[in-house]
Amino acid sequence: MSQNDVMNFAKEALGVALMVGGPLLGVGLIVGLAIGLFQAMTQIQEQTLTFVPKILSIVLVMLLMGPWMLNVLTAFTVNLFTDLVLYARK
């Protein structure tokens, strides 16, 4: 297994991690920002007010995008195990 193989694998793994985690983090960030603005405008400083909507929105995104995320992770895993034979021979 050469350095190029390791770098390509790391690049692909980071890309998959960003594709799968990006939508969840983005929704959490947007909901957190909206709740933070609401708290600043109303001067309500309740911690659970930020936690519950974030969790609910992330769960909703996971339900909606779950099959796509599973397909991306499955394709990455299949490629990894397929290429593992090639890496072992080098």
Side-chain angles (χ1 to χ4, degrees), residues 12-89:
E12 188 177 353
L14 284 173
V16 168
L18 287 173
M19 281 189 349
V20 171
L24 299 174
L25 292 173
V27 166
L29 177 70
I30 291 169
V31 170
L33 181 63
I35 297 296
L37 286 173
F38 175 74
Q39 283 183 325
M41 288 187 300
T42 60
Q43 296 184 354
I44 299 173
Q45 298 301 322
E46 179 63 35
Q47 294 298 321
T48 57
L49 186 62
T50 59
F51 182 72
V52 173
K54 276 188 198 178
I55 292 295
L56 291 177
S57 63
I58 289 174
V59 167
L60 180 66
V61 170
M62 286 180 73
L63 287 173
L64 294 175
M65 297 187 75
W68 173 78
M69 291 177 181
L70 187 62
N71 286 337
V72 169
L73 290 172
T74 303
F76 173 73
T77 305
V78 167
N79 287 339
L80 175 65
F81 286 141
T82 303
D83 293 345
L84 192 61
V85 174
L86 299 174
Y87 294 145
R89 291 184 183 171

